[in-house]
Amino acid sequence: MKQEYKGLYEKFGLNVVYYRKRKKLTQLQLAELVDIDRSHISAIELGNVGVSFDVIFKLCEVLEVTPKELFDFRDYTSSC
């Protein structure tokens, strides 16, 4: 991963966390539903790895969101 994109990977990961928690899923539960390892979910949420389209599409199915919603980055620094 290029360091210049690290912030975007982290924002994507925060969206995964947000939608996972909204569905009241643990990392392990999400990993099982997406058919990837829990440590990979953790790495995605921390913004430490890139994600294939296959995983993105499966995340969308499981989390019941569109790809656009996963990439609609919020400002997580605000207090709201």
Side-chain angles (χ1 to χ4, degrees), residues 41-75:
I41 289 290
S42 176
I44 292 168
E45 290 183 354
L46 293 170
N48 291 333
V49 295
V51 185
S52 71
F53 279 116
D54 290 345
V55 171
I56 290 169
F57 296 146
K58 188 65 178 180
L59 282 168
C60 289
E61 284 177 29
V62 170
L63 298 173
E64 298 178 350
V65 297
T66 64
K68 180 187 180 311
E69 289 173 296
L70 271 187
F71 285 94
D72 188 12
F73 303 143
R74 294 166 182 71
D75 180 10

